[in-house]
Amino acid sequence: MSLMHASSPHTHAATSTGRIMGWVLLATLPGILVATFHFGWGILVNVLFAAVTGVILEAGVLRLRQRPLGMTLRDNSALVTGVLLGVSLPPFAPWWLIVVGMVAAIVVAKHLFGGLGQNPFNPAMVGYALLLIAFPVDMTQWAAPLGLFGPDAIAPGEALRHFLGLSAPTDAMTGATPLDAFKHKGETLLASEFWAADPLPPGTLDAWHDVALAWLAGGVLLLVKRIITWHIPASLLGSLTLLASVLYAIDPSHFETPLFHLLSGAAIFGAFFIATDPVSAATSRRGKLWYGAGIGLLIMVIRPTGAYPDAVAFAVLLMNFAVPFIDYYTQPRTYGHAQANRGIKVRQLDDDEELP
């Protein structure tokens, strides 16, 4: 009788997770490259530094918890968190801002809850939300679309100086995002009057649209490889489009078109790369539809009424709170078990009565 030789199931789990995270990293490349092309080398610097910082913090916490390093680091989850947070930050973000965000994401949002698979909130969005609330000035200095190689482009060395805090960006280098500019246009100014005044640097809208479409291309790759399912992206973008259409139909002079809300912010990025986090998202198919729809509705509620123009991070975190409730009421019925609302009557047997 021969003995069965098998490696540890934890090793297989780490390998499988690492492969999935590897596809997620590959899917982020179109968005990162297009964002770097339009907004400069600072995007790439942020992503690389945040990814390295995430791996270092992950290794340090694992050492403190006396957990094996190799197996856990091979799951690439810290690397993905760093990339997602890094690409969300303005290109002129200083190095210490990224460190603070990664500490909040890896140490607080992930390991204080037990590590990968036990965190109830999306780690990257926890770090981003903390930075947005604590350091609003640094988080709103978004770069103007100066490109990489044009006459006004920022050289890599200059981008590195901004990153190290050795110099500050000038007004010509920075500009508001389309969502931020529209949000602060004032109540008396009509939408048509606002856009007629050319409030944004030339090419800003086109740059944001290109980046959104690049994230869409990466999201399609994740769908094709079955890393994610269509339920969350479709319900999120669908509910956002529906509410944006209703608001625009009611008052087009003060609300923007659904296409503007889809392409001018982080809606597509959030739909495919943030909301689909398998740990903090809903698990059942019906639950994913409710979860994604809730995020889309919250985005369109917070954008016109809240203090922050984009609202994707806050919408995701709020729906992370609701995931246990959603999962409880949307789990599919176990095969062979009748549902409680089917009207089945149950009669208690008497002491001298046998089962039929």
Side-chain angles (χ1 to χ4, degrees):
M1 185 175 179
S2 61
L3 297 177
M4 180 180 69
H5 297 278
S7 59
S8 169
H10 303 290
T11 302
H12 288 294
T15 303
S16 176
T17 304
R19 182 184 61 83
I20 293 172
M21 295 298 179
W23 279 110
V24 174
L25 291 172
L26 184 63
T28 62
L29 287 181
I32 293 173
L33 293 178
V34 174
T36 302
F37 175 79
H38 283 295
F39 297 107
W41 298 101
I43 295 286
L44 200 56
V45 172
N46 287 354
V47 169
L48 294 176
F49 184 73
V52 172
T53 303
V55 173
I56 292 174
L57 288 172
E58 180 95 339
V61 175
L62 289 173
R63 179 66 68 183
L64 289 175
R65 297 179 63 193
Q66 298 181 351
R67 300 293 179 86
L69 294 182
M71 180 182 67
T72 307
L73 291 179
R74 281 197 298 271
D75 64 24
N76 293 327
S77 60
L79 199 60
V80 169
T81 299
V83 169
L84 295 181
L85 180 61
V87 79
S88 303
L89 300 179
F92 298 119
W95 66 270
W96 56 265
L97 194 76
I98 299 175
V99 172
V100 172
M102 290 306 300
V103 169
I106 299 295
V107 179
V108 178
K110 183 179 179 181
H111 281 285
L112 285 187
F113 287 95
L116 181 65
Q118 302 181 61
N119 49 288
F121 306 107
N122 185 287
M125 291 301 96
V126 170
Y128 181 85
L130 171 67
L131 295 179
L132 193 60
I133 295 171
F135 309 102
V137 175
D138 295 286
M139 291 292 288
T140 53
Q141 284 190 335
W142 199 269
L146 301 177
L148 285 181
F149 307 107
D152 299 325
I154 301 173
E158 189 174 1
L160 188 60
R161 288 178 58 84
H162 298 321
F163 171 76
L164 297 175
L166 301 177
S167 61
T170 63
D171 292 339
M173 299 178 185
T174 59
T177 66
L179 285 171
D180 195 16
F182 187 80
K183 182 176 181 62
H184 295 96
K185 68 179 179 59
E187 293 295 330
T188 60
L189 192 64
L190 300 180
S192 57
E193 297 172 341
F194 171 76
W195 292 117
D198 285 335
L200 299 171
T204 299
L205 273 176
D206 291 337
W208 280 95
H209 293 176
D210 290 345
V211 173
L213 293 176
W215 290 123
L216 178 61
V220 171
L221 174 63
L222 295 179
L223 289 173
V224 170
K225 300 302 296 183
R226 298 185 178 180
I227 304 299
I228 62 174
T229 63
W230 60 269
H231 302 80
I232 293 176
S235 58
L236 191 158
L237 298 177
S239 63
L240 186 150
T241 302
L242 178 61
L243 185 54
S245 300
V246 171
L247 294 175
Y248 184 71
I250 293 174
D251 189 2
S253 62
H254 288 93
F255 293 101
E256 260 299 340
T257 64
L259 193 61
F260 175 82
H261 285 285
L262 288 173
L263 298 180
S264 299
I268 293 180
F269 170 69
F272 287 98
F273 292 91
I274 301 299
T276 54
D277 173 30
V279 177
S280 57
T283 56
S284 67
R285 293 181 179 179
R286 190 155 53 98
K288 289 177 180 179
L289 292 173
W290 284 108
Y291 173 75
I295 295 175
L297 291 175
L298 283 172
I299 291 173
M300 280 310 304
V301 169
I302 298 174
R303 277 183 176 179
T305 60
Y308 302 98
D310 203 333
V312 171
F314 297 106
V316 170
L317 293 176
L318 286 172
M319 288 306 296
N320 286 162
F321 272 108
V323 163
F325 176 84
I326 294 173
D327 281 343
Y328 182 81
Y329 284 102
T330 60
Q331 287 299 323
R333 177 170 59 94
T334 304
Y335 181 77
H337 287 71
Q339 291 182 346
N341 59 356
R342 293 290 185 179
I344 297 176
K345 298 180 179 180
V346 179
R347 183 174 64 85
Q348 186 175 0
L349 297 177
D350 297 331
D351 294 338
D352 57 348
E353 190 176 2
E354 296 182 355
L355 288 171

